[in-house]
Amino acid sequence: MSFVLAIVGRPNVGKSTLFNRLVGRRLALVDDQPGVTRDLREGDARLGDLRFTVMDTAGLEDATDDSLPGRMRRLTERAVGMADACLFLVDARVGITPTDEVFADILRRSGTPVILGANKAEGRAGEAGALEAWNLGLGEPLSLSAEHGEGLAELAVTLAPMIEAAEDRIEEAETDIDIDADAPAAARTKPLQIAVVGRPNAGKSTLINKIVGEERLLTGPEAGITRDSIAVQVNWGGTDMRIFDTAGMRKKARVQEKLEKLSVSDGLRAVKFAEIVVVLLDAEIPFEQQDLRIADLAEREGRAVVVAVNKWDVEEHKQEKLRDLKESFERLLPQLRGAPLVTISAKTGRGLDRLQAAILRAHEVWNRRVPTATLNRWLAEMVEAHPPPAPAGRRIKLRYMTQAKTRPPGFVVMCSMPDKIPESYSRYLVNGLRDDFDMPGTPIRLHMRGQGDANPYRNRKKSTPSRLSKHVRKGATKKG
């Protein structure tokens, strides 16, 4: 377990900018509008030779009720308790505010070591604010510029002894544990990448909190609380998973604000990098146009899809509703025919065991490989049962088939006249692959290729020998 540094401070002091600087890439959304970050985001930080975990937090606000700012504050205070140290950022250009003083007092009483950073201190405009930060009673402030990367060497010098002391504590704890030296080392596997997507207020953050078993993500009745994609590591039923909570996706015409556009694009990026996409629907209004677009996007990106219908605990007519859901699913999303549809309650946790089983099953199908010999026997049977068309009286011959890739399964058929094969016949083969090789719901890619597609000289005319080359060959013959 690595050293954890939580970056805390008022809204818009540059916490997310510094977080992105430390992890070396743009993971957190950054905007001039205050309060962009609302959840806890973790990343692997690198600062010189130091390696540690850095945590971006919501801006601390002077609210203690159940309002959105109050819930954000409680989540940040929880991060302070989880961290090994806190980097308390103030805005050197604004100076010390009464809110900074309130939170400095809270951090002093938390018992967590605190590093004071005066951000935006580049140039003369920040000098006065950096000096004023001494009044907070948290020791010498580090003059930083998250945007320009200034002051990071001084931050590394401050962090080094803290990280070293934390590593010593971990080593001491490990020596107290009786470890069997002859026991085989556990196999290290990459965590399963899962993106949870859906319309605003479908219950995505509530679902992930229930899976993790703690309040890691901000939830509430307000739509659109989550603004960027947050990754949460969890071992769910013995399987390591990395679950991405994404911002609710509305119709494109309704997305006007710059920040919401950034949030949606962040969610789309999470879909592209996921292995499994859980499309979360609201049981009261399932399969609206935006739900269909989101599911279709996941299929076009080649991701395995699991459809989860949330808020099932408040549904009164469950049997009739489930029958209507299945009928709508088959009719509206034929490209995902056979994909798992699971009813759940993110609030109570009911149905999460079925959701986990559906995710693992979808991942196994997404990675499935069929032997070439088996494929070609199958292809011969499919052609015999339903031969391809014969355009202009010339029958198309399907000669050979192989699986070119997995994740998702991709197949290549070598044939004559590939451009003459209608889409309906390709669908016939794809549906046959789904049924006969037990690949329900997963995207399947089928490519038709001609025998000479791989030959770059196929359509090149044979060149006529020039007089000079004839003369050279004639002279060579005489010499011989």
Side-chain angles (χ1 to χ4, degrees):
M1 186 176 178
S2 65
F3 180 88
V4 178
L5 177 70
I7 304 175
V8 298
R10 286 186 298 104
N12 218 28
V13 295
K15 298 182 297 298
S16 295
T17 303
L18 181 58
F19 173 87
N20 288 340
R21 172 75 63 177
L22 292 173
V23 299
R25 53 200 177 108
R26 195 198 71 84
L27 280 182
L29 289 184
V30 176
D31 193 75
D32 292 336
Q33 178 180 333
V36 172
T37 302
R38 290 175 171 176
D39 294 290
L40 305 182
R41 177 190 286 277
E42 293 182 359
D44 295 325
R46 179 173 181 171
L47 192 56
D49 295 331
L50 302 178
R51 305 289 182 273
F52 56 96
T53 299
V54 63
M55 190 183 296
D56 189 18
T57 66
L60 287 163
E61 298 197 45
D62 196 5
T64 56
D65 54 10
D66 285 330
S67 64
L68 180 59
R71 300 198 305 274
M72 290 165 61
R73 171 174 169 166
R74 285 197 294 274
L75 196 63
T76 299
E77 289 175 343
R78 192 166 164 275
V80 171
M82 293 164 53
D84 295 297
C86 290
L87 176 56
F88 180 39
L89 283 190
V90 297
D91 189 331
R93 298 195 173 193
V94 173
I96 302 305
T97 67
T99 308
D100 289 325
E101 293 174 350
V102 169
F103 294 125
D105 185 55
I106 292 172
L107 290 174
R108 268 196 304 270
R109 289 187 277 108
S110 69
T112 303
V114 179
I115 301 169
L116 178 59
N119 193 30
K120 307 179 187 180
E122 67 275 15
R124 289 192 174 184
E127 287 179 3
L131 290 172
E132 190 182 349
W134 278 96
N135 296 331
L136 293 174
L138 292 172
E140 181 180 357
L142 298 176
S143 295
L144 302 172
S145 172
E147 187 172 354
H148 301 288
E150 296 176 10
L152 296 185
E154 290 77 6
L155 177 60
V157 170
T158 305
L159 279 174
M162 293 182 173
I163 294 175
E164 187 178 348
E167 289 173 348
D168 290 341
R169 287 196 300 272
I170 293 170
E171 287 179 9
E172 288 174 9
E174 288 177 348
T175 56
D176 294 335
I177 302 172
D178 186 19
I179 300 174
D180 184 1
D182 296 327
R188 289 179 180 243
T189 57
K190 284 181 66 178
L192 194 59
Q193 308 282 328
I194 301 170
V196 181
V197 299
R199 287 180 292 111
N201 220 24
K204 299 180 292 295
S205 299
T206 305
L207 171 61
I208 296 174
N209 282 341
K210 183 61 73 172
I211 292 171
V212 175
E214 60 183 18
E215 296 294 316
R216 281 294 305 274
L217 302 170
L218 195 65
T219 60
E222 304 91 345
I225 289 179
T226 302
R227 281 181 165 168
D228 53 0
S229 299
I230 305 295
V232 178
Q233 295 271 147
V234 62
N235 185 287
W236 189 14
T239 303
D240 289 328
M241 298 185 182
R242 196 161 183 244
I243 307 178
F244 289 85
D245 184 23
T246 62
M249 299 182 189
R250 298 194 297 162
K251 289 182 180 178
K252 193 174 182 180
R254 294 183 182 176
V255 179
Q256 301 294 335
E257 295 184 8
K258 172 193 169 188
L259 183 56
E260 188 173 358
K261 289 180 180 179
L262 289 172
S263 300
V264 171
S265 64
D266 207 33
L268 296 178
R269 188 161 52 249
V271 170
K272 292 178 181 179
F273 286 103
E275 297 171 275
I276 311 294
V277 173
V278 176
V279 180
L280 196 65
L281 310 181
D282 188 328
E284 294 181 7
I285 43 172
F287 294 118
E288 290 213 329
Q289 200 64 35
Q290 189 64 0
D291 294 321
L292 301 178
R293 288 196 184 99
I294 293 168
D296 183 62
L297 167 71
E299 193 277 337
R300 283 187 284 109
E301 289 294 335
R303 308 301 98 181
V305 175
V306 174
V307 177
V309 183
N310 191 25
K311 306 179 184 178
W312 198 247
D313 54 313
V314 297
E315 179 59 44
E316 294 180 0
H317 309 289
K318 289 183 169 57
Q319 293 301 322
E320 296 87 342
K321 185 77 171 186
L322 184 59
R323 185 171 57 249
D324 292 343
L325 283 171
K326 290 180 177 179
E327 185 276 326
S328 299
F329 187 24
E330 292 178 5
R331 176 171 50 85
L332 298 171
L333 290 169
Q335 68 272 41
L336 290 172
R337 186 168 69 90
L341 186 147
V342 185
T343 56
I344 66 167
S345 169
K347 186 177 180 180
T348 66
R350 177 167 291 184
L352 294 195
D353 53 343
R354 296 195 303 274
L355 177 60
Q356 185 210 17
I359 288 171
L360 296 178
R361 162 77 172 154
H363 185 254
E364 185 270 324
V365 172
W366 194 60
N367 283 275
R368 182 162 298 169
R369 181 171 289 280
V370 183
T372 300
T374 306
L375 271 177
N376 282 287
R377 285 194 297 271
W378 172 85
L379 181 63
E381 293 172 2
M382 294 291 286
V383 170
E384 185 178 353
H386 181 46
R394 295 177 60 195
R395 178 140 327 260
I396 297 173
K397 295 179 181 178
L398 306 185
R399 297 188 174 92
Y400 179 80
M401 185 176 187
T402 188
Q403 184 171 357
K405 63 183 286 293
T406 59
R407 304 163 63 90
F411 301 89
V412 175
V413 178
M414 305 302 291
C415 59
S416 61
M417 298 184 287
D419 53 326
K420 302 291 184 184
I421 296 178
E423 185 66 29
S424 59
Y425 197 80
S426 294
R427 276 199 307 272
Y428 161 70
L429 294 177
V430 168
N431 290 335
L433 286 167
R434 289 194 195 284
D435 295 337
D436 296 334
F437 296 108
D438 192 22
M439 293 191 287
T442 198
I444 292 178
R445 305 294 186 244
L446 183 66
H447 304 281
M448 300 291 182
R449 287 187 185 167
Q451 289 293 97
D453 283 0
N455 183 2
Y457 302 101
R458 181 187 172 210
N459 297 318
R460 188 175 292 184
K461 292 181 179 179
K462 192 174 180 180
S463 59
T464 306
S466 64
R467 288 185 181 181
L468 179 61
S469 61
K470 285 181 180 177
H471 177 73
V472 170
R473 283 202 300 274
K474 191 174 179 182
T477 307
K478 284 183 178 179
K479 268 189 179 180

